[in-house]
Amino acid sequence: MEYTAQTIEEAIEVGLKELGVTKDQVEIKVIQDAKKGFLGIGKQDAIVELQVIKQASVQEEPVKTPSQEAPKEVVETPQVEEKRFESQEEFEQALIDLGHYLADITEKMGVETSIDVTPEKHTVYYDFDTKQEGLLIGKHGKTLNALQLLAQDYLDKRVRRRVRVILDVANYRERRAETLTHLAQKVGRDAIAQGKVQQLDPMPAYERKIIHFALADNTHVKTYSRGTEPHRYVVIEPVNGHYE
């Protein structure tokens, strides 16, 4: 059995406790030593393998003759294809490679930047530090959003687990969220006042969610999305009154 912890000693203690044995009753094999990593990337816990030393059995079972043996029933066990995620080391290497991929693209764009990677449970953030913010962001964030789509596609092809990729520069995502919230509230008021359906420009999924959330408590309008990616957009419709 394999056991994992921050150090080899802790991993051994975990294994001994789970097996209910002492250290002299097992064979210990170190599978992997712990690594600190860099900026959270490449960090590895220690892994050890513990095998309980078998002791000779005092009582032996009587040997049965062929005539005494019961007929064996052949049971076919259906084979289930096991879906396995890549190892943590492979996953972290994919995140590092994606960082290099983004660095190559920005270099070809003529943007001088450094990239800070912050992996979390289901999301990984790539934060760009550059003096050429406008060139990297683009009009209404179109350049940054396009880079994010490329990054998401790259990671989806490298790993099996579903991880969301977010690219940011100079807190643009936070500032954009505030702008979209104000926009949603304004267009919502227009929809009510005019009694007409309003539709916004196409947006990425996470920006559409900001619009939906901003108007979720407004009982006078309802919101929904139409179209196909990457041209999907939000519709704001007044609940009461005549509208086109």
Side-chain angles (χ1 to χ4, degrees):
M1 298 288 292
E2 292 185 0
Y3 300 92
T4 304
Q6 293 184 356
T7 65
I8 292 175
E9 291 75 14
E10 290 178 0
I12 293 174
E13 289 299 324
V14 171
L16 294 177
K17 185 176 181 180
E18 184 173 319
L19 294 172
V21 295
T22 59
K23 199 169 183 179
D24 58 349
Q25 291 178 307
V26 296
E27 291 182 356
I28 302 172
K29 180 180 179 181
V30 177
I31 305 298
Q32 174 179 286
D33 201 351
K35 294 182 180 179
K36 293 183 178 179
F38 177 70
L39 294 178
I41 302 295
K43 181 180 179 181
Q44 294 180 354
D45 286 338
I47 303 175
V48 299
E49 180 182 276
L50 302 186
Q51 183 175 359
V52 179
I53 301 173
K54 294 182 179 180
Q55 299 180 353
S57 177
V58 176
Q59 184 178 359
E60 295 183 358
E61 294 184 0
V63 179
K64 293 182 179 181
T65 62
S67 60
Q68 293 175 318
E69 292 182 352
K72 295 181 179 180
E73 181 180 358
V74 178
V75 179
E76 293 186 1
T77 304
Q79 295 183 351
V80 180
E81 183 180 353
E82 184 182 6
K83 295 183 178 180
R84 300 183 62 185
F85 288 125
E86 56 284 325
S87 67
Q88 185 63 21
E89 184 177 358
E90 292 172 329
F91 174 68
E92 290 172 349
Q93 185 59 52
L95 298 186
I96 294 172
D97 291 344
L98 174 53
H100 291 312
Y101 173 70
L102 291 170
D104 289 340
I105 294 177
T106 52
E107 183 181 357
K108 291 177 181 178
M109 291 172 57
V111 176
E112 295 183 4
T113 180
S114 61
I115 306 175
D116 185 24
V117 186
T118 306
E120 295 186 359
K121 188 173 182 181
H122 299 296
T123 308
V124 56
Y125 298 88
Y126 290 83
D127 191 23
F128 295 82
D129 184 9
T130 178
K131 295 180 180 179
Q132 300 166 281
E133 298 168 4
L135 184 58
L136 189 57
I137 294 172
K139 185 178 181 181
H140 300 313
K142 288 185 177 181
T143 302
L144 191 63
N145 290 339
L147 282 174
Q148 186 164 291
L149 284 175
L150 288 174
Q152 187 70 66
D153 181 66
Y154 179 96
L155 192 61
D156 287 345
K157 291 178 180 178
R158 285 287 303 272
V159 302
R160 297 181 183 89
R161 67 189 81 181
R162 181 60 179 169
V163 178
R164 184 181 174 192
V165 179
I166 299 293
L167 306 188
D168 198 8
V169 53
N171 293 322
Y172 170 77
R173 296 300 182 193
E174 182 178 349
R175 291 186 282 116
R176 177 64 171 168
E178 292 177 357
T179 300
L180 291 174
T181 298
H182 292 312
L183 174 65
Q185 293 168 348
K186 177 185 179 302
V187 177
R189 291 193 296 268
D190 291 342
I192 297 169
Q194 299 174 20
K196 294 182 179 180
V197 173
Q198 308 287 326
Q199 69 179 49
L200 301 179
D201 292 334
M203 300 177 186
Y206 63 91
E207 289 192 349
R208 296 197 304 270
K209 288 180 181 178
I210 295 173
I211 300 293
H212 294 310
F213 182 79
L215 295 174
D217 295 330
N218 190 330
T219 57
H220 301 290
V221 296
K222 62 180 179 179
T223 65
Y224 49 90
S225 297
R226 280 183 175 172
T228 56
E229 300 291 2
H231 305 293
R232 197 163 173 80
Y233 58 92
V234 175
V235 176
I236 301 175
E237 179 179 314
V239 173
N240 299 316
H242 300 286
Y243 51 85
E244 298 179 359

